[in-house]
Amino acid sequence: MPDRRLLCLAGAALLCIVAFMTIGLRGNIGFVLALRAMKLAALLQVSVSIAVSTVIFQTVTNNRILTPSIMGLDALYLFGQMLLVFLLGGLGYAALDAQLKFGGEIIVLMALATGLLLPMLRRRTDMGLMLLAGIIFGILFRSLHSLLARLIDPNDFAVVQGASFANFNDVRTDLLAFAAILTIVGIVIAWRARHVLDVMALGADTATGLGISWSRTVTGLLLLVSALVAVSTALVGPVAFFGLLVVALAERVVDTRSHAALMPAAMLTAVIILVGGQALFQHALGSSSTLGVVIEFVGGFAFLVLLVFGSRK
Amino acid sequence: MSIAAAKQSSKTGWIAGLMLAVLFVFSLCVGVGDMPIIRLFSDGRVLELLLVSRLPRTLAAILTGAGLAIAGLIMQTLARNRYVEPATAGTAQSAELGILLVTLLLPSASLLFKSLAASAAALLGTTLFLMTAHRLPPTQPFLVPLFGLVYGGVIGAAVTFVAWQADLLQYLSVWTNGDFSGVLRGRYELLWLGALMVVIAWIVADRLTIMALGRDASIGLGLDYARMLQLGLVIVSVISALSVVVVGMIPFVGLVVPNIVSRLMGDNIRGTLPFVAASGAILVLGCDILGRLIRHPYEIPVGTVMGCVGGLIFLWLLFRRPSHV
């Protein structure tokens, strides 16, 4: 029963949240709680947006091992950010309102991502080719990013420097409110589209036969995915294999590809791993900086296992 | 080789040689220090600058480029897949892990010993990669490079983790991004060992060509497959480990160069090997010069320039080639 399993997941997620808020409380309790609540809000947004964007992306590309970050979307976001700094100059960039800036970055990412991915999806490019191209895009954008980083003023560089590594410890709280609106709107759209997504999962031809305007829907969904990727990358930085790990686990738990069950399951799994992991590493073990690397390692390993065993069937 | 093909290849050979010579001279002249060629022999400092900095740097770029291109060629032969190279199959990352562990356990070890450890680690990592890669279905050729990239990423995450714990992240970046700006006389000579590996590859070139036919066919033709596989692995690992130790990781050279050369000249390794080596040297030296010029007098590391140039060439290769491999 997916329903009961979802309830179990929700219970576990709640437990992780409580653990995150309460373990190791010391000193001025009110202050600590407020600080942790801010962080919790950010972590929740990141988990949810990564989970939803990955589920949608996998449905649109009709593949289980593709995620937005494997296709280089978060590298693209960082590149877009660097491009803005390069064009506007560090002072001009820093003088901009944080929310305006974030909005600009999201629009840049949406335009770039749709421009790059839509032609590939339209041409029904072979999946392996697309994967490889995506990974190369990732390396290319990272290199372009560091190339631009070398070209701009060292002072300007300091403005964007912090963003290029995943950091769950020191999240950007100034963007929280704006990102929250985006995340909630994104979830609502995704939830309302759950049945469309179920149809899309049948493949482009069947979906068209069932009366869905394929390329218009794909465009819309890609825009949604880019916005969600922008949210998570802006808040904590790039996380390569987290989405893959989360969706693969959630699929094992609910044992269905129906979006009405898979999307909430993926969100809850993401919350359990991220919030629970952060509670464990930061509050219980005291080594806060390592969660990103551990997730990277475990997620990458999960990817390899999926690849070797999944392809032999 | 037919007469037309021989003519074609000798013409390509001349062009490649000429380009390399031009870049060589150009590389000697480009740099922050002022170096008027006419006063080469009258002014001692000019000669010293040439011998201590410019010449070693140029030679290092040529040796690394040629070596990495050959390593890529051999890697592609061993994995029987056109889209793998040492930097995307965990070889370079394993080498990094090797250096890191030696640095932690034996901080006083010499550069030669570090290179040995890096080579051993690279050998181990690459063997594991090949063993797993052979289990992937051959009908989906893109799975192998994909597997390699993520495999490299996982080893890379392990390296980052160890470095983080030991507070060596800054130290690590020296190896993860290739850069020739630190090359001086006395600090690059290990790369000549890589040249030795290229010579060995040249000696066994015919056997490598047969290996590209696959295990059964090459055993049928009387090749000691297991021995050749070991030799190939050693060549790839030593070349990649040396270049990681001396200059750092340079992506895409081993991937792009053999692909272009094989498209132009076919797959007879004896015939193409010199061109692969020369083109690799041209590409790396060219990117290094570019990195020195873009933001003169500051420098952009060759790894970054190569990531952009090589990435673009590779995407072009991917989408130009029909989907069969």
Side-chain angles (χ1 to χ4, degrees), chain A residues 293 296-297, chain B residues 97 100 152-164 172:
Chain A
V293 184
E296 203 88 322
F297 186 78
Chain B
L97 192 61
L100 191 64
V154 169
I155 300 179
V159 171
T160 315
F161 186 76
V162 176
W164 190 308
L172 192 69

Side-chain angles (χ1 to χ4, degrees), chain A residues 14-259:
Chain A
L14 210 62
L15 219 67
C16 287
I17 292 174
V18 172
F20 180 80
M21 292 299 285
T22 52
I23 289 181
L25 271 183
R26 264 195 316 274
N28 185 342
I29 303 237
F31 174 75
V32 175
L33 278 183
L35 196 69
R36 285 192 182 182
M38 287 282 266
K39 247 187 208 173
L40 179 68
L43 288 179
L44 287 180
Q45 283 178 35
V46 170
S47 329
V48 164
S49 49
I50 289 182
V52 172
S53 63
T54 308
V55 169
I56 296 179
F57 198 73
Q58 291 190 345
T59 299
V60 167
T61 54
N62 217 341
N63 190 297
R64 304 282 171 82
I65 47 178
L66 223 47
T67 70
S69 53
I70 290 180
M71 289 298 290
L73 278 189
D74 44 8
L76 191 59
Y77 172 81
L78 293 176
F79 170 63
Q81 195 180 38
M82 190 59 97
L83 201 64
L84 280 182
V85 176
F86 186 65
L87 295 176
L88 299 176
L91 264 183
Y93 182 82
L96 278 178
D97 177 50
Q99 266 135 43
L100 195 68
K101 206 155 51 185
F102 185 43
E105 284 159 14
I106 290 181
I107 291 172
V108 170
L109 178 69
M110 281 176 159
L112 287 177
T114 325
L116 277 177
L117 290 176
L118 206 58
M120 285 212 264
L121 286 172
R122 277 243 177 84
R123 275 170 49 191
R124 313 266 164 90
T125 310
D126 173 53
M127 194 43 62
L129 185 66
M130 210 167 131
L131 262 173
L132 198 55
I135 290 173
I136 304 304
F137 273 133
I139 302 178
L140 180 66
F141 294 135
R142 264 186 284 278
S143 299
L144 284 172
H145 176 261
S146 57
L147 184 70
L148 282 184
R150 298 262 170 176
L151 290 180
I152 62 179
D153 209 60
N155 293 326
D156 297 358
F157 181 58
V159 176
V160 277
Q161 185 190 25
S164 17
F165 277 106
N167 192 346
F168 297 106
N169 198 21
D170 178 27
V171 288
R172 295 276 307 273
T173 39
D174 51 335
L175 298 172
L176 219 51
F178 189 52
I181 300 173
L182 258 176
T183 317
I184 291 170
V185 171
I187 297 176
V188 170
I189 296 177
W191 181 250
R192 290 180 59 120
R194 62 191 186 277
H195 301 303
V196 178
L197 281 169
D198 284 340
V199 179
M200 295 290 286
L202 300 173
D205 294 333
T206 320
T208 313
L210 288 169
I212 283 182
S213 162
W214 191 79
S215 64
R216 201 198 299 162
T217 319
V218 165
T219 315
L221 289 173
L222 276 182
L223 289 176
L224 178 63
V225 168
S226 335
L228 290 174
V229 170
V231 168
S232 73
T233 318
L235 287 177
V236 295
V239 229
F241 299 116
F242 184 58
L244 181 91
L245 183 67
V246 163
V247 177
L249 283 176
E251 216 185 319
R252 298 283 182 288
V253 173
V254 292
D255 206 15
T256 166
R257 196 71 201 172
S258 151
H259 289 81

Side-chain angles (χ1 to χ4, degrees), chain B residues 47-110:
Chain B
L47 191 64
E48 193 189 341
L49 179 65
L50 184 77
L51 289 182
V52 172
S53 165
R54 299 285 168 74
L55 189 65
R57 180 174 187 158
T58 308
L59 286 176
I62 290 176
L63 289 174
T64 318
L68 285 178
I70 296 297
L73 178 71
I74 295 175
M75 194 80 197
Q76 286 165 20
T77 310
L78 299 184
R80 299 190 68 204
N81 189 300
R82 284 220 182 285
Y83 297 103
V84 290
E85 65 141 348
T88 62
T91 312
Q93 289 84 354
S94 311
E96 272 174 24
L97 192 61
I99 315 176
L100 191 64
L101 291 180
V102 169
T103 311
L104 280 177
L105 299 175
L106 287 169
S108 57
S110 68

Side-chain angles (χ1 to χ4, degrees), chain B residues 11 38 49 55 70 115 129 133 145 158 199 217 235 255 262 283 295 302 319:
Chain B
K11 204 173 123 200
I38 23 171
L49 179 65
L55 189 65
I70 296 297
S115 313
F129 166 75
V199 173
I235 295 177
L255 197 63
S262 112
L283 188 63
R295 187 82 175 168
V302 68
F319 285 102

Side-chain angles (χ1 to χ4, degrees), chain A residues 120 123 126 128-129 131-133 135-137 139-140 143-144 146-147 150-151 241 289-290 293 297 300-301 303-304 307-308 311-312, chain B residues 132 135-137 142-143 145-147 149-151 154 157-158 161 164-165 252 294-295 300-301 304 307-308 311-312 314-315 318-319:
Chain A
M120 285 212 264
R123 275 170 49 191
D126 173 53
L129 185 66
L131 262 173
L132 198 55
I135 290 173
I136 304 304
F137 273 133
I139 302 178
L140 180 66
S143 299
L144 284 172
S146 57
L147 184 70
R150 298 262 170 176
L151 290 180
F241 299 116
S289 321
T290 41
V293 184
F297 186 78
F301 200 73
F303 184 84
L304 294 184
L307 209 60
V308 173
S311 59
R312 231 186 294 158
Chain B
T132 325
R135 301 177 64 164
L136 291 167
F142 291 108
L143 280 183
L146 185 64
F147 182 83
L149 281 163
V150 181
Y151 176 71
V154 169
F161 186 76
W164 190 308
Q165 294 294 326
F252 289 125
I294 295 179
R295 187 82 175 168
I300 294 169
T304 304
C308 303
L312 286 175
F314 186 64
L315 284 174
L318 265 187
F319 285 102

